[in-house]
């Protein structure tokens, strides 16, 4: 089988795919400067005569999939296959694999680093120092920028999947008390307390959102919940902007109803005027959607994807044909 890979893939990963399937055509999107659009991807698939595709950000539309119904699988090196017309792939019996845990470590480390930065007033302190404000004999900095410790805080997770659970495992030994809201979690570490979403917002010192965008979660975090937060609480969203009503978040920030916020995602990317009103708040740490942007994430998605493909195709093509008649073929690869 000939595989077209347009996702970033390390040499070891490419060799493993070659050993598993026979031939690889490697055309990563990065040298191209952007994801491949529909017509460009169709041209690449035609040129390579590929029988399967491993992609990251490319536009794998219904037209692309319909043009190549012979594809044996589509691999998506992302947390969700949102760039793929999964329903069309399902209709044609093409399994879709993706890698939701690939950036869990990166996001978890970003959570810890930015929360500590906000608690310790690190950025104002740096700016004060760079502004040449430290005078001889003064202890102003000690008084102005004294902050709090992460230890002893109660952290509430709204959504408790791979990322939320990894953060919980990291911070429990600070120590922190961990609570979570997730109606889909049936079993969990007894050290973590499952709560209502109202309890998370009203009782926790740090509220961190880890939700996918669905009809149920879109706009779920609204004024009713945000106004339940304690005045010294911190709100964190490194997941998806669409789950938060930004006007409501802006209101609690402008009125100093909470201590501050850490945001990595915005309604418009690049941000619009309202987004920048949030970003410019003095008690907000805002980053440009980079919580999951580490060099290691690409190695993680290669490892997860290759392991899934080995497990799947190690059971033979017969299984693919059998499952082709099932309603859902999307394979969620849990790390």
């Amino acid at each position: 089988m000939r595989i077209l890979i347009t996702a970033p893939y390390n040499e070891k990963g490419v060799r493993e795919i070659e050993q598993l399937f026979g031939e690889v055509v490697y055309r990563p999107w990065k040298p191209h400067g952007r994801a491949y659009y529909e017509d460009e991807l169709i041209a690449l698939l035609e040129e390579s005569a590929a029988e399967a595709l491993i992609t990251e950000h490319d536009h794998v539309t219904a037209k692309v999939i319909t043009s190549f119904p012979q594809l044996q699988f589509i691999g998506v090196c992302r947390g969700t296959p949102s760039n793929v017309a999964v329903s069309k792939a399902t209709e044609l019996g093409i399994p879709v694999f993706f890698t939701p845990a690939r950036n869990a470590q990166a996001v978890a480390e970003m959570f810890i680093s930015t929360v500590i930065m906000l608690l310790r007033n690190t950025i104002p302190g740096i700016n004060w120092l760079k502004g040449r404000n430290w005078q001889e004999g003064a202890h102003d900095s000690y008084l102005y920028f004294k902050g709090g410790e992460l230890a002893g805080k109660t952290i509430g997770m709204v959504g408790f999947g791979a990322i939320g659970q990894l953060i919980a495992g990291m911070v429990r030994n600070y120590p922190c008390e961990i609570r979570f809201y997730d109606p889909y979690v049936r079993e969990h570490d007894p050290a973590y307390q499952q709560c209502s979403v109202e309890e998370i917002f009203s009782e926790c010192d740090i509220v961190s959102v880890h939700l996918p965008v669905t009809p149920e979660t879109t706009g779920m975090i609204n004024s009713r919940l945000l106004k339940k937060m304690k005045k010294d609480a911190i709100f964190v969203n490194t997941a998806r902007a669409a789950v938060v009503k930004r006007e409501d978040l802006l209101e609690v920030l402008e009125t100093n109803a909470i201590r501050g916020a850490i945001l990595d995602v915005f309604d418009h990317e690049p941000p619009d005027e309202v987004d920048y009103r949030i970003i410019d708040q003095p008690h907000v740490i805002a980053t440009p959607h980079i919580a999951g942007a580490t060099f290691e994430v690409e190695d993680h998605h290669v490892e997860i994807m290759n392991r899934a493909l080995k497990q799947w195709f190690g059971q033979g093509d017969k299984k693919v044909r059998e499952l082709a008649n099932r309603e859902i073929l999307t394979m969620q690869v849990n790390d």
Side-chain angles (χ1 to χ4, degrees), residues 81-257:
S82 56
N83 57 313
V84 176
V86 174
S87 59
K88 178 57 68 174
T90 300
E91 178 186 324
L92 296 177
I94 303 170
V96 178
F97 300 82
F98 61 107
T99 57
R102 70 169 186 157
N103 64 358
Q105 183 73 26
V107 176
E109 291 185 9
M110 190 78 156
F111 170 89
I112 293 172
S113 66
T114 51
V115 166
I116 291 175
M117 287 173 66
L118 188 56
L119 286 169
R120 295 297 302 273
N121 299 310
T122 306
I123 293 177
I126 291 171
N127 291 337
W128 181 88
L129 183 59
K130 288 185 175 182
R132 308 299 193 269
N133 293 298
W134 196 344
Q135 303 300 317
E136 187 69 30
H139 295 280
D140 292 345
S141 60
Y142 189 84
L143 300 174
Y144 292 161
F145 305 115
K146 182 180 289 187
E149 298 176 358
L150 180 57
K153 300 296 186 291
T154 299
I155 299 176
M157 308 286 186
V158 184
F160 203 53
I163 293 173
Q165 292 182 38
L166 186 58
I167 292 172
M170 288 181 173
V171 301
R172 64 187 293 179
N173 294 321
Y174 265 74
C176 292
E177 180 181 339
I178 307 299
R179 302 183 186 181
F180 72 91
Y181 167 77
D182 193 322
Y184 297 100
V185 172
R186 298 289 181 261
E187 297 181 1
H188 61 87
D189 189 319
Y192 308 144
Q193 182 181 349
Q194 193 162 15
C195 301
S196 69
V197 67
E198 289 81 9
E199 289 172 324
I200 294 293
F201 276 85
S202 62
E203 299 176 8
C204 293
D205 302 305
I206 300 163
V207 176
S208 188
V209 176
H210 303 281
L211 294 172
V213 177
T214 68
E216 294 75 24
T217 64
T218 299
M220 172 181 164
I221 312 302
N222 56 22
S223 179
R224 181 183 68 86
L225 291 174
L226 291 166
K227 288 183 177 180
K228 289 181 179 292
M229 294 179 70
K230 298 189 291 186
K231 187 171 178 59
D232 60 350
I234 294 171
F235 178 77
V236 183
N237 185 10
T238 56
R240 293 290 182 266
V243 304
V244 180
K245 289 191 174 180
R246 65 172 178 169
E247 291 80 6
D248 295 350
L249 176 60
L250 178 60
E251 180 185 357
V252 298
L253 290 170
E254 287 186 331
T255 59
N256 295 310

Side-chain angles (χ1 to χ4, degrees), residues 46 48 79 86 100 141 151 239 243 281 294 315 328:
E46 288 178 345
S48 62
V86 174
S141 60
V243 304
Q281 293 297 311
T294 66
Q315 299 179 54
I328 298 176

